[in-house]
Amino acid sequence: MAQVPQTFFDALAVRTWCGLALETLGRAREEIDAINVYPVADGDTGTNLYLTVESAVAAVEAVFAGHAAGSGPEGPTLADAARAMAHGALIGARGNSGTILAQLLRGMAQVLAEDDPAHADGQELRLALRQAADSARRAVAHPVEGTVLTVASAAADAADDARGDCGTVARAAYDGARAALAATPGQLPVLERAGVVDAGGRGLVAVLGALVETFTGERARGVAGSAGTGPSRDPHARVEPAAGPVPVDGALEECADGAAVPGQEGPAFEVIYLLEAEDRAVERLRERLDALGDSLVVVGGDGLWNVHVHVDDAGAAVEAGIEAGRPHRIRITHFGAGDVHTTGAERPPRERAQRAVVAVVPGEGLAGLYTEAGATTVLARPGEPPASGELVQAVRRAHAREVVLLPNDADLRHTAAAAAEQVRTEGIRVALIPTRSAVQGIAALAVHEPDRRFDEDVVSMTSAAGATRYAEVTVAERQSWTMAGICQAGDVLGLIDGDVAVIGSDVAETAETVLDRMLSAGGEMVTLVLGDAVPDAVAEHLEGRVREGYLAVDTVVYRGGRQGALLLIGVE
């Protein structure tokens, strides 16, 4: 889309850049995934970068929305927007590539936000690009040339030699990055054997191309989706490193250290988590994780870090984080045996299943339950709902011709609809069942029969979900007006079908009142999902209440883990 060029780097420029970078990565994602061969050929680099930038965009938009809702006429400052961009990327970073991109953005933000300037000029942009490259290199335990780190350094070097406004500096950095990218196959044998350039580097070139467009209003030559000659659409087409800059038609890659190469076995798990910890504890953590595995990248600062490592002992990596501070948003991915540390050309194609269920779940316990029932899950952590890109990624991971999507949250309806619309363009048949709670999803999953006709299965699952009333017991964070009166911070709230129905002071008593109100309209099955802060005695109390007061009503209890609400209740 046509852009109004930004003269200086201000808050609006940050917003524009993030939006354009997301659009560029969206066009390039599949091609980027396809050339992902280093350090692990797991084919998700484009998706990981897209999700990382999507999180940065959401954070920047939230800052603009917050200022728009205020009474003052002024919008966010450059420092506000730059810090939001960096923070959003940090908490949403996915994979090796996303983690390093988050550190690149953080390095830029450190310069752009320094002394809280109204705007930055070409000189500040040069300094920001240098800080980005240097801080990203420091974040990687064992930097390897021929990766995105090399491309970032080349961009900073080229920017150092440029003189002029932000557009001039951005274009110099972009051209320098493209030239460095073209040379990556000559620096990493794995790239040369596969006949591709470094995918992470190509992603950075795409992001820098969006920066050029921000300041010039014109799409940079060679960026994904632009006019002009680009590389072959075959992701394994030969790239001649001596041929000069490679036009970027949209691709990028994972980077970091060189422990994993095609033909060799590597660690079995990728472990990622956010960590609240002090600097000294993080230094010790780096040493411990470096001894446990490879591809170690630790980014962040000011008490919040994003940790990424490939290991054989995932539990030990998480325990190391617990010793260092408070890890959360823990993601553990098991690399498929025999197909991850090989080139994409060596991976046998996997046959699509006929049908799959993809569900958003609020806690680790329910994720296990849904997974045992055959569903592909997306974990929604308290206060951190998944973005549409995560749902799209989960649908692709399910690898089925037909998919039933269970958002399990009323607030995720539009997000899920957007994800469904996107994957339909890829030829996947998707049915979105508007489940508003995980207990409705459990009811839907219980009647799921993949051997039935798709439409019949969807109707049956929708009917089961709709026949399940849902409630939750939670704690009020602040004083507010509710349907049941005024609640104070710390009150125990019982919500039925999304509305506050009971205000109490005791979890068991409030849950019993909620349960009685729900069962007064009848029911045959009660489902209780306990959060990690709720003792088993509460479930035993409620089971006893159902047994004594409601004949022929069965109760089933699950542990949901860290799910936000203290208790979820479903009545069918």
Side-chain angles (χ1 to χ4, degrees):
M1 62 181 179
Q3 296 292 326
V4 177
Q6 303 295 312
T7 305
F8 294 103
F9 215 145
D10 56 10
L12 182 58
V14 172
R15 186 186 199 182
T16 302
W17 179 33
C18 288
L20 288 172
L22 187 64
E23 289 181 12
T24 303
L25 292 174
R27 292 190 299 267
R29 183 195 56 78
E30 290 186 4
E31 295 172 15
I32 292 166
D33 285 345
I35 69 166
N36 169 201
V37 299
Y38 178 82
V40 175
D42 48 355
D44 63 357
T45 298
T47 300
N48 286 337
L49 284 161
Y50 180 87
L51 293 174
T52 301
V53 174
E54 186 178 48
S55 182
V57 168
V60 172
E61 290 301 322
V63 167
F64 272 86
H67 278 267
S71 57
E74 297 183 0
T77 65
L78 171 59
D80 292 334
R83 289 181 183 127
M85 172 186 69
H87 181 74
L90 177 68
I91 65 173
R94 301 291 195 280
N96 224 349
S97 55
T99 305
I100 292 176
L101 178 60
Q103 187 68 1
L104 287 167
L105 296 179
R106 176 179 170 81
M108 292 190 69
Q110 287 173 334
V111 173
L112 296 176
E114 189 175 10
D115 300 326
D116 201 9
H119 59 258
D121 58 15
Q123 168 66 11
E124 278 80 33
L125 180 55
R126 286 197 297 272
L127 295 174
L129 290 168
R130 171 54 60 194
Q131 175 67 10
D134 292 348
S135 63
R137 189 170 287 271
R138 289 192 299 267
V140 176
H142 304 288
V144 170
E145 298 308 322
T147 66
V148 67
L149 298 178
T150 303
V151 176
S153 294
D157 291 342
D160 285 341
D161 296 333
R163 292 296 178 269
D165 59 13
C166 287
T168 301
V169 173
R171 193 177 294 279
Y174 172 71
D175 290 340
R178 292 178 73 229
L181 175 66
T184 55
Q187 296 172 294
L188 271 181
V190 57
L191 301 178
E192 188 173 24
R193 285 195 296 268
V196 297
V197 294
D198 177 76
R202 293 193 74 170
L204 178 57
V205 169
V207 172
L208 290 173
L211 187 64
V212 173
E213 186 174 356
T214 298
F215 293 117
T216 66
E218 299 176 358
R219 185 172 294 172
R221 181 171 59 92
V223 172
S226 62
T229 303
S232 168
R233 290 286 176 174
D234 179 359
H236 303 293
R238 190 69 188 169
V239 175
E240 296 297 335
V246 175
V248 176
D249 198 21
L252 37 173
E253 182 273 4
E254 304 278 288
C255 74
D257 42 81
V261 296
Q264 296 182 0
E265 292 186 0
F269 298 96
E270 177 186 59
V271 178
I272 304 174
Y273 49 81
L274 287 179
L275 178 70
E276 296 176 13
E278 297 179 355
D279 290 5
R280 260 184 296 181
V282 171
E283 286 304 314
R284 293 193 298 271
L285 175 65
R286 289 179 195 268
E287 295 177 3
R288 182 168 177 185
L289 292 179
D290 194 25
L292 285 175
D294 61 45
S295 295
L296 173 61
V297 186
V298 181
V299 304
D302 301 321
L304 182 63
W305 308 82
N306 192 306
V307 178
H308 171 282
V309 67
H310 294 173
V311 293
D312 281 321
D313 190 344
V318 175
E319 288 173 5
I322 293 173
E323 291 183 7
R326 189 179 78 85
H328 53 105
R329 293 193 69 173
I330 300 169
R331 296 182 180 87
I332 299 174
T333 302
H334 180 254
F335 294 135
D339 69 348
V340 175
H341 292 271
T342 59
T343 66
E346 295 169 327
R347 293 200 304 268
R350 182 161 62 99
E351 181 65 26
R352 284 188 179 275
Q354 182 58 35
R355 189 174 307 160
V357 175
V358 174
V360 180
V361 291
E364 294 84 354
L366 281 181
L369 173 67
Y370 273 75
T371 301
E372 288 176 9
T376 298
T377 61
V378 178
L379 193 59
R381 296 162 183 83
E384 300 171 358
S388 62
E390 289 184 82
L391 301 187
V392 170
Q393 186 183 30
V395 171
R396 293 182 182 130
R397 194 168 68 245
H399 204 61
R401 300 181 183 89
E402 302 168 340
V403 172
V404 179
L405 183 57
L406 306 175
N408 291 341
D409 187 334
D411 292 336
L412 287 177
R413 182 184 61 180
H414 296 300
T415 301
E421 189 64 29
Q422 181 173 341
V423 295
R424 285 185 186 118
T425 65
E426 302 173 13
I428 302 173
R429 190 179 183 188
V430 181
L432 172 60
I433 298 178
T435 48
R436 295 183 290 175
S437 171
V439 291
Q440 288 189 323
I442 291 173
L445 200 56
V447 299
H448 168 55
E449 292 186 15
D451 294 333
R452 275 192 301 219
R453 289 179 58 248
F454 185 63
D455 291 338
E456 293 177 356
D457 196 28
V458 170
V459 168
S460 177
M461 294 176 72
T462 302
S463 177
T468 302
R469 299 190 69 195
Y470 66 96
E472 67 177 70
V473 177
T474 188
V475 176
E477 295 182 355
R478 63 184 67 87
Q479 183 188 60
S480 60
W481 291 86
T482 75
M483 297 286 289
I486 301 176
C487 71
Q488 305 296 328
D491 283 346
V492 180
L493 306 180
L495 291 80
I496 299 177
D497 294 337
D499 293 323
V500 176
V502 180
I503 300 175
S505 58
D506 180 79
V507 174
E509 292 178 1
T510 302
E512 181 179 333
T513 302
V514 168
L515 193 53
D516 284 339
R517 292 194 184 185
M518 296 177 74
L519 287 173
S520 65
E524 299 175 355
M525 170 72 76
V526 171
T527 300
L528 303 175
V529 182
L530 279 65
D532 55 6
V534 179
D536 292 335
V538 172
E540 294 170 1
H541 173 77
L542 296 176
E543 283 184 286
R545 173 60 182 160
V546 173
R547 211 169 32 244
E548 295 170 4
Y550 304 94
L551 299 176
V553 177
D554 295 323
T555 305
V556 60
V557 179
Y558 301 110
R559 272 286 176 185
R562 185 170 174 262
Q563 63 185 23
L566 296 172
L567 177 68
L568 301 178
I569 303 174
V571 174
E572 301 175 48

